[in-house]
Amino acid sequence: MALENVAAKGLVLLGCGKMGSAMLEGWLKGGLPAGSVWVLDPNPSDWLKATGVHLNEEITITPAVAIVAVKPQMMGAALPALRALGGGDTLFISIAAGTPISAFEKAFGATSPIIRAMPNTPAAVGRGISAIIGNAHVGEAGLNQAEELLSAVGQVVRLEGEEQMDAVTAVSGSGPAYVFHLIETLAAAGVAQGLPEALALQLAQATVAGAGALAEGAAEDPSQLRVNVTSPNGTTQAALEVLMNEDDGFPALLKRAVAAAADRSRELANG
């Protein structure tokens, strides 16, 4: 229903980098007509040029949704292009990290319905997860519309308050980088044990991807899955005694890492 509303009234996408392109590709595949989409992007890709959307044209509609998908440092220069849409029925959705709802209320008017969303990079392969929270002017219909649009690139969860967004940013927003680093360090450890680099990388990539899929689809929680593959006094137990060390293993390290990311998110939000 939400895509039908967007198809009828139109959608504006401000910024079409990797995340914007992933979302747009998902919407078009889901049946949203290219003619219903206006995209504003100073450096459009060849793929974007070939989609048939209204590219860098004057916005002649009052769209159902306007999505802000530019980097925070570009916000000041980019937002004026959407200012005329504020104060009406257009739903604004921001996927800009570290930019609070209050900044968009200031830009578009305090009565504008605004949703802040935090997707992550696996959205590029349709396996992302996005967290959303709206201001007081966003009703259930607006949240449903945002959820349907963002579900084109993965799962969507709703937050209880905007203050949770910093933790979301630290866990799922920045989280893919932690996993990528795990892959590269696991591969490097394999090389240190005598494996060729290409083989070690292949083993690490497939292991992390497979374990993630298993964890997502299994009835057991991750703790039980860990127990299931840990034989007493075996090789896995030997490794876990190092990784689960409370002083310098995963528990302490990831707690510090996530806290650092959340603190930085708070700093960005406060200017």
Side-chain angles (χ1 to χ4, degrees):
M1 184 64 69
L3 281 183
E4 292 177 6
N5 183 47
V6 170
K9 295 184 177 180
L11 177 147
V12 173
L13 178 61
L14 179 63
C16 199
K18 291 182 179 179
M19 190 65 69
S21 295
M23 292 191 299
L24 178 58
E25 184 176 8
W27 301 329
L28 296 177
K29 286 182 177 178
L32 183 65
S36 297
V37 181
W38 273 253
V39 177
L40 303 178
D41 190 280
N43 300 297
S45 64
D46 290 339
W47 173 82
L48 178 58
K49 293 175 183 177
T51 58
V53 301
H54 299 274
L55 181 57
N56 293 326
E57 298 179 10
E58 180 183 357
I59 301 173
T60 59
I61 59 169
T62 301
V65 178
I67 296 183
V68 179
V70 297
K71 295 184 182 299
Q73 58 267 32
M74 299 170 60
M75 204 73 69
L79 290 188
L82 302 183
R83 190 162 289 149
L85 304 178
D89 294 330
T90 296
L91 173 66
F92 292 90
I93 302 174
S94 165
I95 64 168
T99 306
I101 288 174
S102 59
F104 297 103
E105 290 176 332
K106 184 176 180 180
F108 302 131
T111 61
S112 296
I114 297 167
I115 287 177
R116 182 179 173 188
M118 171 52 64
N120 61 3
T121 53
V125 292
R127 294 296 303 274
I129 186 165
S130 303
I132 61 174
I133 184 70
N135 67 359
H137 301 286
V138 176
E140 186 67 19
L143 289 169
N144 288 340
Q145 188 158 246
E147 191 167 327
E148 183 169 345
L149 286 169
L150 291 168
S151 68
V153 292
Q155 301 177 51
V156 182
V157 296
R158 299 186 186 187
L159 303 183
E160 296 177 357
E162 190 178 6
E163 70 280 355
Q164 293 179 316
M165 193 61 81
D166 298 309
V168 168
T169 299
V171 173
S172 61
S174 300
Y178 316 156
V179 177
F180 300 148
H181 187 50
L182 170 62
I183 292 172
E184 65 179 336
T185 54
L186 182 57
V191 171
Q193 293 300 315
L195 293 174
E197 288 188 7
L199 176 58
L201 181 58
Q202 183 180 0
L203 289 169
Q205 288 173 324
T207 298
V208 171
L214 179 60
E216 191 173 44
E220 300 97 331
D221 63 25
S223 295
Q224 185 59 49
L225 292 174
R226 170 179 53 77
V227 170
N228 292 348
V229 297
T230 306
S231 301
N233 299 316
T235 58
T236 305
Q237 181 176 323
L240 287 176
E241 287 175 357
V242 176
L243 294 175
M244 296 178 70
N245 185 289
E246 289 294 335
D247 295 323
D248 58 4
F250 274 179
L253 188 60
L254 280 177
K255 188 175 181 179
R256 294 201 307 272
V258 170
D263 288 345
R264 181 56 179 153
S265 178
R266 295 183 188 99
E267 291 173 1
L268 290 171
N270 293 327

